Amino acid sequence: MAEKRRKFDADFREGAVRIVRETGRPVAQVARELGINEGTLTTWMARDRQQRDGAAGDRLSESEREELTSGTTGRRQRGNSGVRS
């Protein structure tokens, strides 16, 4: 017989994420204390992180992303290996 999935309201999810974020306690410990699956809380944490990153505008621009993936940094462009003789 299949187990019925529990639904958690937004307040509960936000509260669980806040506990982990503000106390720094491990996700596994908080999940156990709240009686929820560790993977569920991990998913909520990831969603929260994505929302915070998107809201803060910390995403890289297309040109910044290209610069990082091209492997050329300012130091390499100038021909300075950073090694002193």
Side-chain angles (χ1 to χ4, degrees):
M1 185 172 193
E3 186 175 326
K4 186 176 178 182
R5 296 186 87 173
R6 298 184 332 186
K7 293 213 175 206
F8 300 98
D9 63 14
D11 288 338
F12 182 84
R13 291 189 304 265
E14 290 168 11
V17 167
R18 194 175 315 113
I19 290 170
V20 174
R21 221 179 40 238
E22 292 178 1
T23 65
R25 291 179 13 225
V27 169
Q29 179 184 0
V30 174
R32 260 192 319 273
E33 292 171 357
L34 295 174
I36 60 176
N37 186 290
E38 179 182 347
T40 300
L41 183 51
T42 300
T43 299
W44 297 346
M45 294 293 298
R47 283 187 195 149
D48 178 69
R49 194 173 309 112
Q50 287 175 341
Q51 289 175 346
R52 289 174 165 284
D53 290 347
D58 289 338
R59 295 177 185 245
L60 293 175
S61 69
E62 187 65 32
S63 62
E64 291 170 324
R65 192 173 9 265
E66 286 174 13
E67 183 180 341
L68 290 172
T69 58
S70 70
T72 58
T73 63
R75 179 177 293 172
R76 286 186 184 154
Q77 289 172 346
R78 288 191 303 267
N80 182 357
S81 67
V83 178
R84 293 186 179 159
S85 310

